[in-house]
Amino acid sequence: MTDTQKREIVCSGIRPTGNLHLGNYFGALRNFVRMQEEHDCYFFIADYHSLTTHPTPGSIYGDASKIMAAYLAAGLDPDKATIYLQSDLPETIELYLFFNMNAYLGELERVTSFKDKVRQNPNNVNAGLLTYPTLMAADILIHKATRVPVGKDQEQHLEMTRTFAGRFNNMYHAEVFPLPQAIGSATGLVKIPALNGAGKMGKSEGEASTIFLTDEPSVVRKKIMKAKSDSGPTQMNQQKPEEIENLFQLLRVVSTEETVEYFDDLYNRCQIRYGDLKKQLAEDMVAFVEPIRQRIIEYQADDARLRRVMDQGKEKAHESARRTLDEVRHVIGYRN
Ligand code: TYM
């Protein structure tokens, strides 16, 4: 590391709402693995946040341990990064309470993810859903993190984290919290598209449009061969419609540059056959996903090891959280 590359505090998490998919990987997890080499990293599994949408009772630990297996399979190393369960760090909840005291109904109601959830599930508009951004701010600021590797869909939540941090500092006339930044790839925050030609990859676009890191090769191939395309370009160098641009975007993340150029050139000359592109994409995707899938299976079979990683992470996360909370309580004026 050079002198100009200061070690930063990095923090991020993923909700245990099912198996991880390519969006989670390229939007977030890949950067977690990269950043653990150079920074002080805290990566957790957001198993409090998952309660906002009421997962099946009783399965939270099982769901969280699946994500832990995927974290390790992707290359996170408990000796380099602090890896823990959000629910093992209840200090977060005290900070959440302090942020809630200065978060306003109007600003929380305007959050896009809240409005989406209300639309999708009008019978479950709970207070946890409304205060999702204050809990997220507490997750990040409990470690005073300055960098948060996330996908594009989390941009607004990060903006709110900065608002809550700044408001707290102003309110108590103390520079307690930094204003953290969202981190993506070199070209900005990432959005991996769904295979159905619309929206982002993830639960809301359905299983058939999402490639999970746990999908077997035959499933990956089937999903890609069924991905939406069109009847082909009719003019040289014409702009790609969304569903075709999406296929190219997937090609860009798993295939070589030469492969991308090869199909791009065929497209521009109106000679592309989507069947060929999809076959190549499917093979490159399988080559990418399969080793991770195998390692997920191995880690999942070793619950004792997963629990050891969680215990180690819990202790390290606790030390950092305690320091912040002592300072916060002091600044607010509580007895320490
Ligand atoms: P979650 O669990 O929905 O997603 C986890 C991460 O995956 C990214 N992601 C994507 N990136 C690119 N393209 C996609 N199609 C795609 N789908 C998902 C998300 O941007 C995210 O980075 N609120 C968070 C969890 C959380 C958190 C935090 C994150 C709780 N506390 C503190 C950072 C810091 C969430 O629901 O992510």
Side-chain angles (χ1 to χ4, degrees):
M1 181 171 310
T2 64
D3 287 346
T4 47
Q5 276 179 305
K6 189 165 120 311
R7 267 181 103 77
E8 304 239 19
I9 301 177
V10 175
C11 176
S12 192
I14 297 182
R15 273 174 312 151
T17 49
N19 288 313
L20 295 193
H21 51 75
L22 282 190
N24 299 134
Y25 184 83
F26 287 107
L29 191 48
R30 178 178 56 169
N31 288 332
F32 296 5
V33 176
R34 187 171 55 80
M35 293 177 98
Q36 71 178 343
E37 302 299 334
E38 294 177 354
H39 301 294
D40 292 334
C41 293
Y42 295 88
F43 297 123
F44 60 93
I45 295 157
D47 58 353
Y48 280 142
H49 270 113
S50 62
L51 283 183
T52 56
T53 47
H54 297 177
T56 322
S59 72
I60 292 191
Y61 173 73
D63 292 343
S65 66
K66 276 191 204 166
I67 308 295
M68 183 55 94
Y71 274 7
L72 300 176
L76 278 188
D77 177 347
D79 291 328
K80 292 180 180 161
T82 302
I83 315 170
Y84 62 99
L85 299 185
Q86 186 186 31
S87 62
D88 273 337
L89 199 65
E91 287 88 345
T92 309
I93 300 309
E94 192 171 342
L95 190 58
Y96 168 58
L97 177 134
F98 295 143
F99 287 146
N100 277 338
M101 297 300 172
N102 296 308
Y104 299 102
L105 183 61
E107 65 186 343
L108 294 171
E109 278 177 334
R110 279 195 299 276
V111 175
T112 311
S113 62
F114 175 71
K115 290 196 283 195
D116 287 346
K117 292 266 161 49
V118 171
R119 218 173 299 123
Q120 286 157 10
N121 217 339
N123 297 324
N124 183 24
V125 186
N126 58 68
L129 208 52
L130 183 73
T131 55
Y132 193 110
T134 49
L135 181 53
M136 199 163 143
D139 290 328
I140 297 167
L141 294 169
I142 195 79
H143 301 299
K144 299 195 179 186
T146 52
R147 296 183 165 239
V148 186
V150 282
K152 179 106 184 111
D153 60 325
Q154 298 297 316
E155 204 169 20
Q156 192 182 24
H157 288 153
L158 260 292
E159 243 171 69
M160 298 202 67
T161 296
R162 288 191 289 277
T163 302
F164 299 136
R167 195 175 287 164
F168 185 96
N169 291 346
N170 283 341
M171 177 112 180
Y172 297 105
H173 308 291
E175 283 303 307
V176 176
F177 294 118
L179 306 184
Q181 296 293 331
I183 301 292
S185 71
T187 50
L189 297 183
V190 174
K191 175 186 156 192
I192 298 293
L195 295 172
N196 61 3
K200 68 174 169 121
M201 190 174 277
K203 277 274 181 54
S204 48
E205 293 300 328
E207 300 252 321
S209 292
T210 301
I211 293 174
F212 295 96
L213 298 177
T214 46
D215 279 346
E216 291 185 14
S218 60
V219 176
V220 172
R221 291 193 182 100
K222 207 190 282 164
K223 285 180 178 175
I224 291 184
M225 295 315 286
K226 283 195 175 156
K228 187 151 192 270
S229 56
D230 65 4
S231 51
T234 51
Q235 284 171 26
M236 306 274 270
N237 299 315
Q238 86 182 51
Q239 210 187 343
K240 298 183 185 81
E242 192 181 0
E243 59 268 26
I244 304 304
E245 180 49 40
N246 288 353
L247 289 176
F248 272 88
Q249 205 185 326
L250 292 173
L251 208 58
R252 267 180 236 121
V253 292
V254 292
S255 303
T256 62
E257 253 176 61
E258 292 78 56
T259 307
V260 179
E261 274 169 27
Y262 172 75
F263 285 105
D264 212 27
D265 185 52
L266 287 177
Y267 183 88
N268 286 333
R269 291 190 286 119
C270 298
Q271 288 180 5
I272 194 157
R273 291 204 311 226
Y274 291 133
D276 293 345
L277 181 151
K278 286 181 179 178
K279 263 190 215 138
Q280 180 71 45
L281 177 59
E283 289 321 305
D284 291 344
M285 190 66 81
V286 167
F288 174 79
V289 170
E290 188 52 16
I292 302 182
R293 186 180 81 89
Q294 291 293 344
R295 288 197 295 272
I296 291 178
I297 294 171
E298 280 166 36
Y299 280 113
Q300 266 183 4
D302 194 350
D303 188 55
R305 181 166 185 185
L306 297 179
R307 283 178 189 271
R308 274 201 305 279
V309 173
M310 290 172 193
D311 287 343
Q312 184 182 342
K314 174 180 172 173
E315 207 167 300
K316 287 204 282 179
H318 176 73
E319 274 172 35
S320 151
R322 203 57 253 166
R323 271 196 305 275
T324 306
L325 210 48
D326 284 349
E327 186 184 351
V328 164
R329 289 176 57 96
H330 173 75
V331 163
I332 297 178
Y334 286 109
R335 183 175 74 91
N336 265 330

